[in-house]
Amino acid sequence: MGRSPRILLSIASTALIGWTAAALIQGNTDISQQNTLNVDVCVIGGGAAGTYSAIKSKDLNKTVVVVEQQDRLGGHTTTYVDPVSNTSIELGVAEYEDTSIVREWFARFKVPLYQYNITIPGVTSEYMDFHSGQIATPEQGDLFGAWDAFQTQVARYPFLDYSLDSVPFLVPADLLLPFGQFITKYNLQDAVPYFSLYGEAWGNFVTLPTLLAIKYFPPSFFNPATLYSGAPGALASKDNSLIYEKATKELEPNAPLSSTVLSMDRSAAGLVKITVQTPSGKKLICAKKLISTIAPLIDNLKGFDLNETESPIFNKFRGHSWYLGLVNTSGVPDNVTLINYGINNTNNFNIPVLPGVYDIFATVVPGLHFFSFGGNDSQPSFTQSQVKTNLQDTLTRLRATGSIPGSSEAAKAFNIIDFSSHTPYEVYVSSEQIAKGFYNKLFALQGQRNTYWTGAAFVTHNSAAIWNYTDQLVTKMWSEGQSTTALSLS
Ligand SMILES: Cc1cc2nc3c(=O)[nH]c(=O)nc-3n(C[C@H](O)[C@H](O)[C@H](O)COP(=O)(O)OP(=O)(O)OC[C@H]3O[C@@H](n4cnc5c(N)ncnc54)[C@H](O)[C@@H]3O)c2cc1C
Ligand SMILES: *[C@@H]1O[C@H](CO)[C@@H](O)[C@H](O)[C@H]1NC(C)=O
Ligand SMILES: *[C@@H]1O[C@H](CO)[C@@H](O)[C@H](O)[C@H]1NC(C)=O
Ligand SMILES: *[C@@H]1O[C@H](CO)[C@@H](O)[C@H](O)[C@H]1NC(C)=O
Ligand SMILES: *[C@@H]1O[C@H](CO)[C@@H](O)[C@H](O)[C@H]1NC(C)=O
Ligand SMILES: *[C@@H]1O[C@H](CO)[C@@H](O)[C@H](O)[C@H]1NC(C)=O
Ligand SMILES: *[C@@H]1O[C@H](CO)[C@@H](O)[C@H](O)[C@H]1NC(C)=O
Ligand SMILES: *[C@@H]1O[C@H](CO)[C@@H](O)[C@H](O)[C@H]1NC(C)=O
Ligand SMILES: *[C@@H]1O[C@H](CO)[C@@H](O)[C@H](O)[C@H]1NC(C)=O
Ligand SMILES: *[C@@H]1O[C@H](CO)[C@@H](O)[C@H](O)[C@H]1NC(C)=O
């Protein structure tokens, strides 16, 4: 068979319906029985939501396969282990809300949890305008007061506590305001540096629909009083990738890594056929159910047989960008964290001007800092070398103005020793779409065509909340499954 997957894909996108039967039959003639896998459930994406879906199904004695495009499970969890000190530095997911689901999930893998501590003794934060190199001295406002005022507003919307599935059809007008207007309306300005730091990858978060901002900042998790006082508030493990390494071992050989979906056919009752490109060739997966956990941007759902109801929903999603890297010999003192402050960006609460480096954080390992970088809506995507150039120019400016020590020439000496792209990130829709009942339409897809959807776009970027929602979804999925006639595969 000479038909490449690429040709199959172009057929899929030009004739969405009806192509699958013919193309799949033709396309699959080279997939032998030996390369066909019959399972109860196929999970697409093996990050927080996907790994949870797979292990939970496995623990319910279902057969599972996870299709993951990276060469490891874990998604946004990326842990760097310093070879000298054997210390872990989390470049991605660092901490978890203290909930029963989180404790049970880590106990499931016998991975201990500790109280998370954001403070590194002796390290101070300095604000600088990374575009001009100037030191900034923002006024320290009443953060705790502004946070309390925010909580008063948040308490009006209890339907946002767990996932986005309970957003009412008639969305309250305040939730449709751009978050910047909401901040001004309720005098929350003193909390902006805090929103800006924890919500940094939202880009220009001032334009974000308030509904999504509120969903992102759950009262217990982001409470500055617990985070900054050192009182118990959040949990962390010594190495957040450990649960994923253990899950991979349990799921093997049914966790094909570096693998992508080529095509899919969900037209039959109780059966989903997925053709997957894996490092050992094309495989056909026949599953009773499909759980998609990937960022559901239309481009990322390529290979899915989206129909005329599904495509117009997913094509409303947009994504932000976020890149994280670890650098040595940057010349930034070990006891200093630098935060980008848009001195002249006064219309936007002085948030950083993008594209640009958001911040350069001290780590517990002397000599190492980690930085984060984001694009803007018109240029979201960057290569590692573009990010490196931007960081280098930033360090050069900060030195030229004397804001950090060392000569401008020395700014070229740093090394990026770890780098990860978290793009697309923080997938969102406009207020206009939310007002038109977007989330009702989205959640109405659950269970249709044997397909279930979870992950950050359906909840928010919070592992505890994602695991809670996914736990309920998978439980419901298998209890529904029991009432239908069991399908005999192969
Ligand atoms: C730098 C950073 C720090 C964070 N810190 C925290 C934190 O401290 N606490 C917290 O609770 N949350 C944190 N988050 C939020 C985090 O995103 C969520 O908690 C959670 O990990 C998201 O889970 P997910 O399953 O939706 O997505 P992911 O974990 O990204 O999983 C999606 C998976 O799908 C794979 N995939 C994507 N597209 C495809 C495709 N087309 N085919 C096959 N596979 C595909 C991806 O490779 C990935 O493995 C952080 C995120 C980042 C980026
Ligand atoms: C799964 O199978 C094992 C072994 O047969 C059994 O002990 C266990 O109760 C089953 N679990 C569920 C949830 O059915
Ligand atoms: C590194 O630390 C981990 C636990 O944090 C430990 O299991 C491992 O043995 C250590 N490796 C070395 C080389 O010390
Ligand atoms: C999980 O979500 C449900 C609501 O859907 C909520 O009642 C429950 O308290 C949550 N549990 C945890 C541990 O967060
Ligand atoms: C901010 O604007 C003022 C006045 O236009 C200008 O002098 C100054 O250089 C600008 N600063 C930055 C950091 O761009
Ligand atoms: C966190 O670290 C700070 C500084 O080292 C310390 O004062 C505080 O007690 C710690 N908090 C916890 C919960 O360990
Ligand atoms: C910085 O990283 C480079 C590349 O990994 C390495 O060769 C060098 O020894 C490191 N320097 C320090 C001071 O850690
Ligand atoms: C950081 O460390 C340097 C050198 O050790 C020291 O001179 C400086 O005072 C420290 N800065 C802070 C803010 O602690
Ligand atoms: C976005 O970034 C590009 C450069 O990458 C810049 O040309 C453009 O003006 C920026 N747009 C906005 C709205 O800031
Ligand atoms: C299209 O998908 C939707 C949602 O998954 C489903 O309800 C509907 O039946 C599908 N339509 C056709 C014609 O298959």
Side-chain angles (χ1 to χ4, degrees):
M1 276 298 307
R3 288 181 102 170
S4 73
R6 209 157 279 287
I7 294 168
L8 285 180
L9 278 177
S10 67
I11 296 170
S13 52
T14 48
L16 278 174
I17 315 165
W19 78 276
T20 40
L24 258 185
I25 291 160
Q26 281 194 325
N28 287 337
T29 48
D30 57 351
I31 299 185
S32 63
Q33 202 59 33
Q34 188 195 341
N35 284 322
T36 302
L37 192 63
N38 294 313
V39 287
D40 291 316
V41 60
C42 175
V43 178
I44 313 295
T51 305
Y52 196 96
S53 303
I55 294 286
K56 170 92 184 172
S57 296
K58 179 176 175 281
D59 288 348
L60 292 169
N61 292 335
K62 306 295 178 185
T63 51
V64 184
V65 63
V66 181
V67 178
E68 167 56 51
Q69 73 183 5
Q70 293 193 58
D71 60 2
R72 54 169 191 94
L73 297 186
H76 292 307
T77 303
T78 48
T79 310
Y80 175 82
V81 180
D82 174 49
V84 180
S85 60
N86 194 30
T87 310
S88 297
I89 298 176
E90 301 296 349
L91 293 179
V93 177
E95 53 178 316
Y96 307 98
E97 242 183 305
D98 185 353
T99 66
S100 54
I101 295 274
V102 170
R103 288 175 179 272
E104 284 159 22
W105 181 229
F106 279 77
R108 162 75 181 67
F109 295 100
K110 301 190 169 56
V111 172
L113 287 165
Y114 304 87
Q115 289 298 329
Y116 176 71
N117 200 337
I118 196 177
T119 45
I120 301 177
V123 172
T124 51
S125 296
E126 294 179 9
Y127 288 81
M128 294 178 188
D129 184 313
F130 286 7
H131 277 264
S132 66
Q134 287 171 29
I135 291 180
T137 45
E139 261 173 49
Q140 187 79 46
D142 178 13
L143 167 61
F144 292 167
W147 179 259
D148 286 347
F150 181 52
Q151 291 323 306
T152 305
Q153 295 309 314
V154 171
R156 294 169 61 195
Y157 311 109
F159 56 82
L160 288 177
D161 280 357
Y162 300 106
S163 81
L164 291 163
D165 70 347
S166 308
V167 172
F169 188 73
L170 289 174
V171 180
D174 273 354
L175 296 182
L176 300 172
L177 290 175
F179 193 44
Q181 286 181 29
F182 183 85
I183 287 170
T184 307
K185 181 170 177 182
Y186 293 104
N187 272 313
L188 311 175
Q189 290 87 342
D190 286 347
V192 167
Y194 189 74
F195 291 141
S196 187
L197 192 62
Y198 281 96
E200 68 173 22
W202 287 109
N204 185 356
F205 75 90
V206 171
T207 61
L208 189 73
T210 294
L211 180 143
L212 296 175
I214 287 184
K215 182 70 206 87
Y216 180 72
F217 289 109
S220 64
F221 195 31
F222 283 107
N223 185 348
T226 36
L227 263 180
Y228 291 150
S229 72
L235 301 173
S237 101
K238 295 272 191 227
D239 176 341
N240 285 321
S241 293
L242 269 181
I243 52 168
Y244 295 101
E245 287 163 19
K246 294 194 171 192
T248 309
K249 289 209 181 82
E250 280 194 47
L251 294 166
E252 268 165 3
N254 282 5
L257 303 174
S258 308
S259 298
T260 49
V261 173
L262 294 174
S263 63
M264 193 182 279
D265 179 1
R266 293 177 292 149
S267 61
L271 172 67
V272 178
K273 289 183 179 181
I274 308 122
T275 310
V276 174
Q277 185 68 56
T278 77
S280 56
K282 267 198 244 175
K283 311 275 177 193
L284 176 65
I285 296 166
C286 295
K288 292 178 197 165
K289 312 264 189 198
L290 179 80
I291 305 181
S292 177
T293 72
I294 62 182
L297 292 158
I298 203 94
D299 288 347
N300 201 28
L301 293 170
K302 60 180 180 291
F304 279 57
D305 59 335
L306 297 181
N307 76 13
E308 80 284 8
T309 306
E310 296 164 332
S311 292
I313 296 176
F314 293 114
N315 73 15
K316 301 296 184 305
F317 276 121
R318 299 286 174 270
H320 290 99
S321 64
W322 208 14
Y323 301 88
L324 279 289
L326 191 68
V327 288
N328 76 6
T329 54
S330 66
V332 181
D334 285 343
N335 56 2
V336 173
T337 281
L338 302 178
I339 299 173
N340 188 356
Y341 183 88
I343 286 184
N344 279 355
N345 198 10
T346 45
N347 290 338
N348 289 319
F349 309 102
N350 302 99
I351 63 173
V353 176
L354 300 175
V357 175
Y358 283 108
D359 24 48
I360 304 174
F361 288 101
T363 71
V364 289
V365 177
L368 299 186
H369 276 78
F370 85 86
F371 70 93
S372 77
F373 174 93
N376 65 20
D377 289 347
S378 44
Q379 190 186 357
S381 283
F382 289 80
T383 62
Q384 181 175 341
S385 91
Q386 287 174 314
V387 173
K388 184 173 183 177
T389 302
N390 192 296
L391 176 64
Q392 187 169 305
D393 293 347
T394 300
L395 290 170
T396 303
R397 287 190 294 267
L398 294 172
R399 286 189 167 142
T401 50
S403 298
I404 61 170
S407 69
S408 297
E409 205 41 44
K412 298 197 177 83
F414 69 88
N415 292 295
I416 293 187
I417 56 179
D418 199 25
F419 185 81
S420 53
S421 166
H422 297 271
T423 307
Y425 191 63
E426 286 173 340
V427 162
Y428 68 102
V429 292
S430 65
S431 287
E432 190 193 354
Q433 288 304 325
I434 296 173
K436 287 182 185 164
F438 177 83
Y439 285 105
N440 297 87
K441 292 179 214 161
L442 180 69
F443 281 91
L445 299 178
Q446 290 297 20
Q448 303 285 315
R449 304 177 83 200
N450 309 310
T451 307
Y452 295 78
W453 308 85
T454 179
F458 297 81
V459 185
T460 189
H461 278 277
N462 173 333
S463 302
I466 289 171
W467 291 329
N468 192 13
Y469 178 69
T470 305
D471 189 84
Q472 294 172 43
L473 183 76
V474 174
T475 303
K476 188 159 162 270
M477 180 180 103
W478 291 120
S479 59
E480 280 169 359
Q482 264 144 31
S483 59
T484 64
T485 330
L487 204 88
S488 125
L489 293 165
S490 91

